[in-house]
Amino acid sequence: MSEIDPDAEDREERARKLFAGPIAFLKSAPALQHLPSPSVPEIAFAGRSNVGKSSLLNALTNRNGLARTSVTPGRTQELNYFDVGNPLVFRLVDMPGYGFAKAPKDVVRKWRFLVNDYLRGRQVLKRTLVLIDSRHGIKDVDREVLEMLDVAAVSYRLVLTKTDKIKATNLAEVHAAVEAEARKHPAAHPEVIATSSEKGMGIAELRTAVLEAVES
């Protein structure tokens, strides 16, 4: 029988308490000069438009309206900051969604510049969580972002969303395929977390993973 890691158990409980405590929206940053001072660790969330990023952030923080879910995917073109803990422990950064088909080219270009500059130059960025819709798996546009993160040497981890929307056998296949993809990328964490915002699946694991990255 495998031994229980007391440090892991302790971190899971600390993560639960932290996300149950004070969390507040800080600001939206449309450009780098508007970023808050780099005083605490940051965990960023990236994903295709309509991947369920806002819903996952709301589930993670156990708050219904913390992150706004837009009826128009790709509308948010700013870095949205959330303070976690009082006193402040770390910040969550909601990055604008990518892969939106209806956005004008100049908006897409602006997204690339903002995100690329943030990823390359933010010393306090501990990890980026890249969300993948479990119904669709990894798309070419996701691979482009993974390569961007590899080049920027930013540690990232893939997170499956909407796992309640597909059959268990299909989920197992997608999970294996996404982990195989992760192993191809030098900056990727080898293990993939499967989540469901609606059912609460994987949320406790994700909270613990966030705290682990913050403390690394």
Side-chain angles (χ1 to χ4, degrees), residues 77-200:
Q77 294 305 309
E78 300 172 333
L79 298 170
N80 292 313
Y81 272 82
F82 302 91
D83 285 348
V84 180
N86 186 14
L88 180 62
V89 178
F90 64 93
R91 289 187 171 117
L92 300 175
V93 187
D94 182 9
M95 296 167 67
Y98 58 82
F100 30 87
K102 296 180 181 177
K105 285 185 178 179
D106 60 327
V107 171
V108 177
R109 196 177 303 113
K110 182 185 174 189
W111 178 91
R112 274 198 169 278
F113 281 127
L114 175 63
V115 170
N116 218 343
D117 289 349
Y118 168 73
L119 292 174
R120 286 175 178 275
R122 198 66 170 170
Q123 296 297 323
V124 292
L125 177 60
K126 288 286 193 170
R127 180 157 294 162
T128 298
L129 300 172
V130 183
L131 311 189
I132 304 293
D133 190 326
S134 60
R135 299 171 301 178
H136 307 304
I138 290 186
K139 301 282 191 183
D140 286 342
V141 68
D142 296 313
R143 289 189 181 90
E144 287 178 23
V145 172
L146 302 190
E147 285 163 12
M148 185 192 293
L149 289 160
D150 288 334
V151 170
V154 172
S155 170
Y156 62 93
R157 188 164 186 172
L158 299 173
V159 177
L160 291 174
T161 63
K162 305 184 181 183
T163 58
D164 57 298
K165 307 294 186 189
I166 66 173
K167 293 178 181 176
T169 50
N170 293 348
L171 176 58
E173 289 173 7
V174 171
H175 199 285
V178 172
E179 283 202 336
E181 180 73 33
R183 288 194 291 271
K184 298 176 186 176
H185 295 270
H189 191 288
E191 295 173 4
V192 173
I193 300 175
T195 67
S196 165
S197 300
E198 282 192 20
K199 305 294 184 184

Side-chain angles (χ1 to χ4, degrees), residues 7 48 54-55 125 128 132 144 206 211 215:
D7 290 339
R48 288 200 311 270
S54 296
S55 297
L125 177 60
T128 298
I132 304 293
E144 287 178 23
L206 186 59
L211 186 58
E215 296 177 343

